[in-house]
Amino acid sequence: MSCSTAAFPTDRVCISVGETATPDLVRRAAQSCGLIEFRLDLIRQPFTDLLSTLPAGFPFMVTCRSQKNLSTEERQRRLLEGLARGARWLDVDLDDPDTFQQKLATEARKHGCNVLLSLHDYQGLPTPALLHTLMDQATTLHAHAIKVACIIRDREDLTHFFECLPPSAQMLPVGMGAYGLQARVEALRGRAGFTYACLDAQQATAPGQPSVADLQKAWRS
């Protein structure tokens, strides 16, 4: 069966929610995906209020990127609260301090939570040396998945992106920029466990992050 006629894999979509998140938005997001990412560095409403609208047992990820107004201690506190409240996934960034990564990965294992190690490159495709560092650190942290998010400017970038990634079932290729949508669809058509989207364009938490509707449309094209 071709991917254009195959059912869209809703359960392999992770909807990210950030500063515009409300309990109603989270409730609607849960109806359109299989996983929700709470950007704890961006949300304004109390985390517990947003969680309260999720169906019992619905899986969620906690992410807290480095921001100028957030100390490392505060980021760690927010992520630990997410673990305590039943997060299924914890995102740690390759750029985070090693001690920060190790502490959170250890706590995640205690809570039975999956660790996702992420790399973001806003300049272009990652170098082989950077990917090697990423894979080594994923092994150190016993990461369950590895996210590589980078800017995809054209079709040549799109081809090279998938060619440069290590052949690992843990890999989550995430495209950003002009060809980010195509990259995310190709990842879904491959063996990526999931990809990211927003509920609608006004809710995007990353450059070029597509809406679920745009992802569905591209999937069927």
Side-chain angles (χ1 to χ4, degrees):
M1 180 181 290
S2 68
C3 285
S4 60
T5 58
F8 180 72
T10 300
D11 61 331
R12 292 169 59 206
V13 173
C14 174
I15 290 183
S16 302
V17 297
E19 62 181 332
T20 58
T22 62
D24 180 64
L25 183 144
V26 171
R27 177 186 58 77
R28 290 187 290 119
Q31 297 170 353
S32 304
C33 67
L35 177 68
I36 287 181
E37 178 192 35
F38 287 102
R39 285 291 303 272
L40 301 181
D41 53 312
L42 299 178
I43 60 174
R44 296 177 177 177
Q45 295 211 14
F47 181 41
T48 51
D49 290 355
L50 299 177
L51 274 183
S52 67
T53 59
L54 284 182
F58 193 92
F60 66 91
M61 177 187 299
V62 287
T63 301
C64 195
R65 299 273 176 250
S66 178
Q67 304 286 355
K68 289 182 178 179
N69 63 334
L70 281 179
S71 67
T72 299
E73 292 75 16
E74 176 59 17
R75 291 177 59 214
Q76 180 173 283
R77 186 197 68 77
R78 295 184 186 190
L79 290 168
L80 290 175
E81 179 187 4
L83 292 176
R85 294 190 180 278
R88 187 77 58 84
W89 285 91
L90 167 78
D91 181 305
V92 292
D93 197 285
L94 183 65
D95 286 339
D96 287 329
D98 282 349
T99 53
F100 182 88
Q101 295 181 39
Q102 291 282 5
K103 166 71 174 177
L104 287 165
T106 298
E107 291 299 318
R109 287 192 291 273
K110 291 178 182 177
H111 286 83
C113 176
N114 296 323
V115 174
L116 183 152
L117 179 62
S118 59
L119 162 67
H120 297 81
D121 193 328
Y122 296 98
Q123 304 304 314
L125 302 181
T127 64
L130 186 56
L131 288 172
H132 182 75
T133 298
L134 176 71
M135 299 303 290
D136 282 351
Q137 185 66 354
T139 299
T140 298
L141 297 179
H142 303 286
H144 299 80
I146 305 164
K147 172 185 173 184
V148 179
C150 65
I151 298 294
I152 311 292
R153 297 186 175 90
D154 50 36
R155 291 189 180 278
E156 184 177 0
D157 273 358
L158 185 63
T159 299
H160 289 168
F161 180 44
F162 287 96
E163 289 178 346
C164 78
L165 295 179
S168 169
Q170 297 172 291
M171 194 63 61
L172 297 177
V174 178
M176 300 183 290
Y179 279 72
L181 175 60
Q182 290 90 330
R184 295 180 196 225
V185 171
E186 289 304 313
L188 279 182
R189 288 175 177 169
R191 57 185 180 180
F194 57 87
T195 196
Y196 294 78
C198 52
L199 192 58
D200 56 57
Q202 290 71 39
Q203 316 299 332
T205 61
Q209 187 180 70
S211 68
V212 175
D214 286 341
L215 201 58
Q216 291 173 332
K217 183 179 179 180
W219 171 269
R220 297 186 177 105
S221 65

